[in-house]
Amino acid sequence: MTTTSGPATGLRRAALGAATAILVTAATATVAAPAFADVPGGKTSGSGDDKGNLSAGVQVTYPTDTSTKGSGGHSLGAADNVTWTPPPCWIGPVAGPAEFKKMVEKQVKETNEYPGQANYAMQAMDEYKKHYSEGRTWSGNGEKAYKNFNLDQQGKGAFWGPVTNPNSDSPDRFDCNGTLPFWVPNGQRPPAGTPNVITTEMLARLAFAHTKVPGVDIRTNPVGTQTVNLPTWVTLNENYAPVTVRAELNIPGAQAMWAETTATPTSVHIDPGTSDATVYPSSAECPIGKGGQVGAPYTEGATGNPPCGVTYRRSTQSTGAYDLNVTATWKVSWRGSDGAADNPPLPNGVITQDHPVTVQEIQTVNR
C-alpha cells in the first residue's frame, strides 16, 4: 500500500470532485438489471432510461394501472400543499469492478484531454485512479486502498458511492460527495455509520416523487350556463382509484430493497364559490363510488338532488362568474421490504381546480 503526504487534503478534495463527475455521468449505470417478476403488468417511468432506471440501479414501476382520461396524471410531489422534497442524493451500488474501472479511466482521459485543464486537476485525477489501481491512500485519512480495481473480485461485490438524484435541482444534491466509492461484498451492506446510505425510507420518498394521480377535470350538467334554483350536477372525468408506485434497488448478491407507496383518495370537496348556493351533499364532501367515480351525470327525468352538485340561488349578472372549486385529497402510505411502514409518514396530496360558472335568472331549462 502506498501512502502520500504533502498536499493531500487539497488533492483529496479535488479527487472527490472528480469522483462526483464520474458518478453523475454514470447515473444510469446498473450492476445488474433489476427484476420485477412479482409486479405483473407494471408500467415503468423514470428519467434514467427507457427501462425505468431512475439512477444507479433504482427502478420505479407502477403495479397499478395509472393511466387516466380527462386532464391526465398530476404529480403528488408537485402538489401545492407539498413542501417536502425527495432525497437529492444517496450512497448506493455504482458498478462492479470492470465497469468501475472503465468509468474511472474514461474520466481520467477526459480530464487530461480537456483544453486548458489545470495541472492540479490532472494530478488529482491521477491520485484518484491510483487509489483504486495501485493502493494509493492519503496520509492520515484512513481510506481503504484497492489493487487493480478489485478485478479479481468480479461478480463478488460492487463499488458503492455517491449517487445524485437526476430529478433534483437542490443544492443538497452534492452532500453525498464526501464519500469516496468503496467496496461492498455481495450480500453485505456498507459499514455502520456510513452517511447517506440508501434506505427503504429514501426509496419511499423516490416512489412518492413519481406518484401521479388523476387531476380534477370538472364536468357540469347542464353544460355551460346554469340556472338559478335548478341543480347543477357535477362529475369528475377521472377514475379515483388507489395508485401504487414501487421504487426498487437491486443489491448484488442480496434480495432487492424496495418501497411501495399507495395513494388513496379520501376526500373530494366541492365549493360553489358563493354563499348564495346549496351544495350536495350538505357536507360538501362528494362520495367516491366503488369504481372510483365521483358524481353522476344527469339523466332525463332524474328527480331529487344530485350526489355531487350545487344549486345556485343568485345569478352572476352583477358579480361575474362564480369559481366552482373541487379539491381532491389523497392519503399516502408506504411500506418497505425491511418491514418499515409509514415512519416517517409521507404528506398527503391535495389537488384542486376551479371551474367558472355563469348563472342565469330564468325558471326553465332544456337539458
Side-chain angles (χ1 to χ4, degrees), residues 12-13 16-17 22 28 46 48 61 74 76 86 94 116 120 154 166 185 199 250 253 263 269 286 299 334 336 338-339:
R12 183 173 189 271
R13 288 174 180 168
L16 283 171
I22 292 171
T28 61
T61 64
H74 191 111
L76 283 188
V94 175
Y120 79 86
Q154 184 71 31
T199 62
N250 181 66
H269 182 84
C286 294
T299 56
W334 72 271
D338 58 356

Side-chain angles (χ1 to χ4, degrees), residues 84 199-205 207-208 211 243-245 258-264 330-348:
W84 164 96
T199 62
T200 54
E201 186 265 334
M202 289 183 180
L203 290 173
R205 292 162 62 193
F208 178 87
T211 299
V243 175
T244 298
V245 179
W258 55 263
E260 277 189 354
T261 60
T262 298
T264 304
W330 296 75
K331 180 175 177 57
V332 183
S333 60
W334 72 271
R335 64 188 184 95
S337 55
D338 58 356
D342 296 327
N343 185 21
L346 292 170
N348 292 339

Side-chain angles (χ1 to χ4, degrees), residues 230-303:
L230 288 179
T232 297
W233 293 59
V234 175
T235 59
L236 299 186
N237 197 38
E238 292 91 354
N239 180 10
Y240 273 45
V243 175
T244 298
V245 179
R246 171 182 284 208
E248 185 162 357
L249 173 66
N250 181 66
I251 300 177
Q255 290 184 341
M257 176 190 294
W258 55 263
E260 277 189 354
T261 60
T262 298
T264 304
T266 57
S267 170
V268 176
H269 182 84
I270 184 171
D271 184 339
T274 175
S275 59
D276 292 319
T278 301
V279 295
Y280 310 107
S282 59
S283 64
E285 298 292 334
C286 294
I288 302 171
K290 291 183 178 180
Q293 73 276 9
V294 177
Y298 174 82
T299 56
E300 189 68 31
T303 60

Side-chain angles (χ1 to χ4, degrees), residues 335-366:
R335 64 188 184 95
S337 55
D338 58 356
D342 296 327
N343 185 21
L346 292 170
N348 292 339
V350 177
I351 313 299
T352 186
Q353 183 66 51
D354 290 334
H355 181 84
V357 176
T358 300
V359 183
Q360 61 186 351
E361 186 76 61
I362 59 176
Q363 297 301 317
T364 61
V365 62
N366 293 322

Side-chain angles (χ1 to χ4, degrees), residues 92-148:
V94 175
E99 183 65 24
F100 186 70
K101 180 176 183 290
K102 291 178 183 179
M103 291 161 54
V104 174
E105 291 177 341
K106 180 177 183 290
Q107 188 66 17
V108 170
K109 184 175 183 293
E110 291 176 349
T111 300
N112 292 340
E113 293 179 353
Y114 188 83
Q117 183 64 269
N119 288 334
Y120 79 86
M122 291 187 286
Q123 184 181 359
M125 282 306 301
D126 182 64
E127 293 286 330
Y128 181 75
K129 177 182 177 182
K130 289 179 178 178
H131 177 65
Y132 296 99
S133 63
E134 299 180 10
R136 181 69 58 88
T137 63
W138 293 271
S139 178
N141 286 313
E143 296 93 348
K144 179 181 178 180
Y146 304 93
K147 291 292 185 67
N148 197 25

Side-chain angles (χ1 to χ4, degrees), residues 61-88:
T61 64
Y62 296 85
T64 54
D65 184 354
T66 58
S67 62
T68 60
K69 59 181 179 177
S71 60
H74 191 111
S75 173
L76 283 188
D80 292 339
N81 71 301
V82 175
T83 57
W84 164 96
T85 56

